[in-house]
Amino acid sequence: MPHHTVKPTPGDITAHVYQALKEDLGGWVDINQDITASLIPSQAQAQAHIITREPMVMCGRDWAHCAFTALDNAIEVTWHVQDGQSVAAGTTLCDIKGNARVLLCAERTALNFLQTLSATATTTTHYVRLLKGTQTKLLDTRKTLPGFRQAQKYAVHCGGGNNHRVGLFDAYLIKENHIAACNGIKNAVQQAKMSHPGKSIEVEVETFEELEQALLAGADIIMLDNFTTTEVRQAVNYVSGRCLLEVSGNITDTRLSALASTGVDYISSGALTKHIQAIDLSMRLSLL
């Protein structure tokens, strides 16, 4: 922990885009299902460009590209920015050329991916800049939009953040209810080590007593849940490098720098993926 960097495969992206297109097209990936686009002559050609109306960090190129070409592989998409690139308001992200019906049919799906993933990348970059000059790394969480887990974790990476575990399968995160169900931290950690040797074991604690129990049990990482900044500093001094420490809960702009100054290893925030505001994008089209 943190987990390896999440990068969806082309197959993952295609499947994600196809599912989104099907939501718009009655369960099919078929341009003929778009009854509004059918008002346009079938052979009409058009050109378009997508611009951002606000500063942003780009993310979602492959998803947007696929939204157009999934409907017609003859569509030409020319990109002017890369994922992870910071751009100013008014920047043209890409130019698109091809069948007018296809461009209009795919428009919303492409923009949905771009505005959502760029929002996560942009928010992440903002947080990362607040940690500049410290050793503390920013982590995401599992608080992602349903169906967007891999995509949003990729967006966090594009924004300069780090990926926590992907899901429930690749690392342990033993929380309050797990501890209660396992009859204590020691029992939970011991069982985890026996069940899946080599898997990272993280324990969430709410008190210094639980912190000591997790440390003695041999946790790889201890998450300090809703500790005050003073308490985090005390915990860092007490642990003194014997395991990694992560802070979670009530993470705000004003607290980030203060928490980083404590020397904690990681700060995790669900806000990167669930408290985002979609980037304001626009596609402008003209017939050829």
Side-chain angles (χ1 to χ4, degrees), residues 28-240:
W28 303 88
V29 180
D30 181 356
I31 183 64
N32 295 313
Q33 291 289 106
D34 184 346
I35 61 174
T36 309
S38 68
L39 300 174
I40 303 163
S42 62
Q43 299 305 311
Q45 297 292 297
Q47 60 186 5
H49 57 274
I50 295 174
I51 65 168
T52 176
R53 292 196 176 105
E54 60 183 308
M56 57 171 267
V57 176
M58 173 71 183
C59 187
R61 268 185 42 155
D62 291 347
W63 285 261
H65 196 113
C66 183
F68 292 106
T69 59
L71 292 169
D72 181 356
N73 60 17
I75 298 295
E76 299 175 13
V77 186
T78 303
W79 290 95
H80 304 298
V81 296
Q82 303 292 325
D83 279 355
Q85 181 178 341
S86 295
V87 298
T91 298
T92 297
L93 305 181
C94 67
D95 295 311
I96 315 138
K97 184 177 180 181
N99 184 276
R101 286 187 178 183
V102 172
L103 267 57
L104 290 169
C105 180
E107 174 185 0
R108 176 43 53 197
T109 297
L111 293 181
N112 282 347
F113 281 113
L114 284 175
Q115 67 185 17
T116 301
L117 298 181
S118 294
T120 287
T122 302
T123 300
T124 301
T125 295
H126 172 66
Y127 277 33
V128 167
R129 285 172 179 163
L130 295 175
L131 295 175
K132 188 175 181 180
T134 74
Q135 297 301 309
T136 304
K137 298 186 186 306
L138 180 68
L139 297 178
D140 55 22
T141 70
R142 288 172 47 243
K143 297 174 182 177
T144 52
L145 300 174
F148 269 74
R149 174 67 54 81
Q150 288 189 325
Q152 283 195 290
K153 282 185 171 285
Y154 168 68
V156 167
H157 170 67
C158 288
N162 296 270
N163 297 142
H164 208 285
R165 60 178 181 161
V166 177
L168 299 174
F169 62 93
D170 56 328
Y172 285 102
L173 177 46
I174 301 170
K175 299 168 74 72
E176 177 185 11
N177 288 332
H178 300 107
I179 292 169
C182 291
N183 195 28
I185 290 174
K186 181 179 179 180
N187 287 341
V189 173
Q190 286 180 342
Q191 184 60 43
K193 288 183 176 182
M194 288 187 295
S195 298
H196 293 283
K199 293 283 189 185
S200 176
I201 301 174
E202 180 168 1
V203 179
E204 180 184 77
V205 302
E206 298 179 348
T207 66
F208 279 95
E209 180 182 358
E210 290 182 342
L211 170 63
E212 184 174 13
Q213 292 173 16
L215 191 61
L216 292 174
D220 300 304
I221 307 175
I222 297 176
M223 178 189 291
L224 309 174
D225 185 41
N226 291 314
F227 275 45
T228 67
T229 303
T230 298
E231 289 171 337
V232 171
R233 183 171 284 107
Q234 292 171 346
V236 170
N237 292 335
Y238 173 72
V239 169
S240 189

